[in-house]
């Protein structure tokens, strides 16, 4: 991050954390803190697509929504185009909304079933009608252009969401996200609810729109192959923390972190020559209420050493845009530390 000019950077987070309080026990008498996201430092350059990958429940969506200021961070700072947006509100936040949009995971529940497509796509345009000096005719024109760009027919504007397939609904959601000509879009698992045949169409559409609108994406997914195909760089997340960052070209060739390697080993391959030896992780993902000490991955890591149980690994630079948080790659760590179970490899 130190090598990157502020002017190139669209989004930057500085030690962002998001904790939730949850009540448990008899009569909800006990309070627990869910540490959904902790001390996250990421950046997204102008025109860049950054992937965010990890298992379900690791905090990907919480991080995406925190960056968009849909939820407030507990600690840390968020910068958009060089401006600190962590505590802005009112008019300033409203202005920011024009530049930051989201495409939701579920194209069925994310569209209001009582609105016609025209109103869904134009909702933001109506909200900013005065600021953008738009009248109803110009809004209709923009909606028609968006329908064309997203591959929907003109008569789609007078129909309701239930009259469309899942892929078409996601196109409507994408149309809504680009209507205000934003700079940044969080794509929150936009393909996970779609059929395989539709996924590549939507992926191509996102790619084309990115070029045309000069967009930056944060592409959230648990699918490594899809994420690598659309992203320039990828962050790997585990239990609310970033544990590796690498160029997407390196994801399958040169991953470092044992967790990244385990995720990659689980990617299905049709070609038997390309199949990797599966790394089976033991146990479940620990609860974000009681995050393990040291390296949070140590209870499941096949390479864990004594130091991993008590000391948090530093985030080390291991190459161009390649960083990893793992004691295995820290030259200064004590080489006498043994793996938890030497029979594991
Ligand atoms: Fe495994 Fe230790 Fe590296 Fe964590 S720091 S991933 S426990 S080897």
């Amino acid at each position: 991050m130190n090598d990157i000019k502020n002017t190139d950077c669209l989004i930057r987070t500085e030690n962002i954390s998001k904790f939730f309080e949850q009540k448990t026990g008899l009569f909800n008498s006990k309070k627990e803190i869910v540490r959904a996201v902790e001390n996250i430092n990421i950046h997204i350059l102008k025109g860049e697509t950054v992937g965010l990958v990890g298992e379900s429940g690791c905090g990907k969506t919480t991080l995406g929504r925190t960056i968009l200021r849909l939820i407030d961070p507990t600690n840390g700072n968020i910068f958009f185009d060089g401006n600190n947006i962590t505590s802005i509100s009112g008019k300033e936040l409203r202005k920011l909304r024009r530049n930051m949009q989201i495409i939701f995971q579920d194209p069925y529940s994310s569209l209001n079933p009582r609105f016609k497509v025209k109103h869904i796509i134009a909702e933001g345009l109506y909200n900013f009608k005065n600021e953008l000096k738009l009248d109803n005719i110009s809004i209709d024109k923009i909606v028609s252009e968006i329908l064309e760009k997203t591959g929907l027919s003109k008569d789609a504007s007078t129909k309701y969401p239930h009259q469309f397939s899942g892929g078409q609904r996601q196109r409507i959601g994408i149309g809504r996200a680009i209507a205000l000509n934003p700079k940044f879009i969080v794509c929150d698992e936009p393909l996970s609810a779609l059929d395989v045949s539709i996924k590549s169409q939507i992926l191509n559409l996102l790619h084309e729109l990115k070029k045309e609108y000069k967009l930056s994406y944060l592409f959230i997914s648990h699918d490594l192959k899809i994420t690598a195909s659309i992203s320039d760089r990828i962050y790997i997340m585990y239990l609310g923390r970033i544990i590796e960052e690498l160029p997407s070209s390196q994801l399958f060739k040169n991953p470092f972190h044992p967790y990244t390697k385990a995720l990659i080993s689980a990617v299905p391959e049709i070609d038997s020559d390309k199949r990797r030896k599966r790394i089976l992780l033991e146990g479940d993902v620990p609860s974000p209420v009681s995050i393990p000490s040291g390296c949070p991955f140590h209870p499941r890591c096949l390479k864990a050493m004594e130091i991993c149980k008590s000391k948090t690994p530093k985030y080390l630079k291991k190459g161009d845009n390649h960083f990893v948080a793992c004691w295995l790659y820290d030259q200064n760590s004590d080489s006498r530390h043994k793996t938890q179970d030497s029979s594991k490899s």
Side-chain angles (χ1 to χ4, degrees):
M1 179 65 215
N2 292 342
D3 315 336
I4 295 161
K5 284 191 231 151
N6 257 345
T7 47
D8 297 336
C9 205
L10 186 65
I11 299 282
R12 184 164 68 84
T13 70
E14 203 178 72
N15 297 322
I16 276 291
S17 299
K18 180 64 193 174
F19 301 158
F20 297 96
E21 197 178 276
Q22 98 181 355
K23 289 182 177 164
T24 57
L26 195 63
F27 306 118
N28 286 336
S29 54
K30 238 174 106 185
K31 277 185 196 165
E32 288 179 336
I33 302 296
V34 179
R35 288 152 66 190
V37 160
E38 193 157 11
N39 284 335
I40 300 258
N41 293 296
I42 67 166
H43 67 275
I44 300 168
L45 302 180
K46 290 173 184 168
E48 191 183 31
T49 298
V50 168
L52 184 60
V53 169
E55 286 164 290
S56 296
C58 72
K60 306 183 293 291
T61 295
T62 303
L63 178 59
R65 290 180 185 212
T66 309
I67 290 172
L68 288 178
R69 287 290 321 278
L70 293 175
I71 48 179
D72 289 331
T74 309
N75 295 309
N77 288 300
I78 308 160
F79 296 88
F80 178 80
D81 219 353
N83 301 309
N84 192 333
I85 59 162
T86 321
S87 348
I88 61 167
S89 58
K91 276 186 190 167
E92 275 184 305
L93 185 58
R94 182 179 144 78
K95 205 171 148 197
L96 180 76
R97 296 264 178 256
R98 267 176 56 192
N99 283 316
M100 299 169 98
Q101 294 289 321
I102 184 166
I103 299 165
F104 293 98
Q105 175 177 4
D106 186 352
Y108 293 88
S109 62
S110 62
L111 305 178
N112 190 330
R114 289 181 297 158
F115 279 10
K116 287 182 180 167
V117 169
K118 179 191 155 182
H119 282 103
I120 292 171
I121 292 177
E123 198 178 351
L125 296 169
Y126 283 119
N127 282 341
F128 288 95
K129 204 174 170 183
N130 295 336
E131 289 95 324
L132 297 171
K133 298 187 173 46
L134 295 170
D135 56 25
N136 289 347
I137 295 168
S138 49
I139 288 178
D140 285 351
K141 205 173 151 222
I142 295 171
V143 171
S144 297
E145 280 171 15
I146 287 172
L147 288 174
E148 198 187 323
K149 281 186 180 134
T150 51
L152 292 160
S153 62
K154 272 191 181 167
D155 64 352
S157 68
T158 54
K159 293 182 179 169
Y160 290 93
H162 74 267
Q163 294 174 280
F164 295 91
S165 66
Q168 287 170 323
R169 286 183 198 211
Q170 198 55 299
R171 286 173 190 273
I172 298 167
I174 292 170
R176 174 176 59 187
I178 60 167
L180 284 165
N181 206 356
K183 292 182 181 170
F184 173 60
I185 298 182
V186 171
C187 307
D188 188 4
E189 306 242 21
L191 311 178
S192 61
L194 303 178
D195 292 341
V196 179
S197 57
I198 308 296
K199 283 184 183 183
S200 60
Q201 292 175 16
I202 299 294
L203 208 55
N204 288 340
L205 175 63
L206 288 171
H207 205 64
E208 281 161 23
L209 293 173
K210 179 191 159 176
K211 276 195 276 176
E212 187 168 347
Y213 287 82
K214 297 186 174 57
L215 291 163
S216 299
Y217 290 139
L218 177 64
F219 191 86
I220 298 173
S221 178
H222 56 260
D223 189 318
L224 272 75
K225 271 199 170 168
I226 287 177
T227 308
S229 73
I230 194 171
S231 305
D232 300 301
R233 268 184 314 121
I234 295 178
Y235 288 100
I236 311 287
M237 207 168 170
Y238 182 76
L239 261 185
R241 290 153 173 78
I242 300 295
I243 47 106
E244 186 160 9
E245 168 192 346
L246 71 176
S248 56
S249 58
Q250 296 297 303
L251 180 65
F252 290 96
K253 281 191 207 154
N254 197 21
F256 286 148
H257 200 282
Y259 176 65
T260 312
K261 289 181 181 175
L263 287 181
I264 289 170
S265 80
V267 174
E269 283 289 354
I270 296 170
D271 186 344
S272 57
D273 294 340
K274 286 187 182 169
R275 273 183 212 146
R276 303 165 193 90
K277 193 176 168 224
R278 182 78 201 269
I279 302 168
L280 287 171
L281 297 177
E282 289 177 0
D284 295 325
V285 182
S287 162
V289 171
S290 53
I291 302 219
S293 59
C295 170
F297 187 54
H298 85 255
R300 302 173 78 200
C301 182
L302 305 181
K303 303 272 185 187
M305 304 172 280
E306 275 306 310
I307 192 171
C308 307
K309 295 181 190 170
S310 54
K311 289 195 177 169
T312 308
K314 292 184 203 114
Y315 201 53
L316 302 165
K317 181 164 178 149
K318 299 306 290 180
D320 277 353
N321 285 325
H322 201 159
F323 296 80
V324 67
C326 174
W327 283 115
L328 287 174
Y329 303 96
D330 193 333
Q331 306 293 332
N332 300 321
S333 71
D334 190 340
S335 57
R336 289 168 303 167
H337 293 294
K338 296 275 188 320
T339 54
Q340 252 181 350
D341 177 351
S342 54
S343 65
K344 296 169 182 172
S345 61

